[in-house]
Amino acid sequence: MTQDQFITEITVPADNRNPDVYEAAFRRVRERLRGFEDRARFDILFPISVKAQWNAPSAPAAQLLRELSPVCPLSCEEAVRALLSDWDISIEEVPFYIAARFGVARVRQAVDRLASERLADSEMRNLKAVSYWIDRYEEAYPNGS
């Protein structure tokens, strides 16, 4: 499965407006992805997850990213940086995924490091949203995961 195939398989049923059709498609895609190696799962899901919802089916990609939790080939800082441009800040699954992979302390270090850089206002807003979600993650999972 490629990113384009994922987008098609998730988007077409969603356009149908029938929740049962969408749920069936979501389950089919999830089961297909379970058969992939971690790197392939990451390469399909992460880039879509960090896009705005009007540009891609980022919510279902993020949900699957969090659920399937593939190994992240990026550094923690690179993963957080990916959230700074186009990510929809209402999608908590991506920061939750990063926290589960790297740990809350490491994500906070990455956020602090990025905050020291010269960022655009929109990037700083997204970085603050990452911090917000990391706080919520820590409340929900005080022992990680």
Side-chain angles (χ1 to χ4, degrees):
M1 174 184 301
T2 65
Q3 286 181 21
D4 289 340
Q5 289 169 324
F6 173 86
I7 290 168
T8 299
E9 290 184 35
I10 286 293
T11 305
V12 171
D15 289 345
N16 182 307
R17 304 281 187 248
N18 181 334
D20 294 333
V21 171
Y22 174 76
E23 276 301 315
F26 184 87
R27 285 191 305 274
R28 272 193 311 276
V29 169
R30 179 178 50 214
E31 290 312 309
R32 282 188 63 198
L33 286 169
R34 284 186 199 279
F36 285 55
E37 293 186 14
D38 271 359
R39 180 60 192 251
R41 287 181 197 156
F42 178 88
D43 288 344
I44 292 166
L45 297 172
F46 188 82
I48 297 169
S49 297
V50 298
K51 293 185 179 197
Q53 291 191 69
W54 54 86
N55 291 330
S58 52
Q63 183 178 347
L64 288 168
L65 180 73
R66 173 73 173 120
E67 181 181 331
L68 300 175
S69 195
V71 172
C72 183
L74 304 175
S75 71
C76 183
E77 194 168 306
E78 290 169 328
V80 173
R81 186 181 301 278
L83 300 175
L84 301 185
S85 64
D86 200 28
W87 166 61
D88 185 326
I89 64 172
S90 70
I91 299 176
E92 73 271 12
E93 289 87 354
V94 185
F96 279 27
Y97 161 76
I98 295 170
R101 281 278 148 214
F102 293 99
V104 169
R106 180 65 193 100
V107 177
R108 285 198 172 115
Q109 288 173 346
V111 167
D112 290 345
R113 166 73 181 92
L114 290 168
S116 72
E117 294 182 5
R118 188 178 183 110
L119 298 174
D121 290 344
S122 61
E123 292 172 322
M124 188 56 77
R125 175 187 56 94
N126 283 17
L127 194 58
K128 287 178 182 177
V130 171
S131 290
Y132 171 84
W133 286 122
I134 294 306
D135 289 345
R136 300 301 73 76
Y137 176 86
E138 190 170 40
E139 291 169 1
Y141 305 99
N143 297 322
S145 199

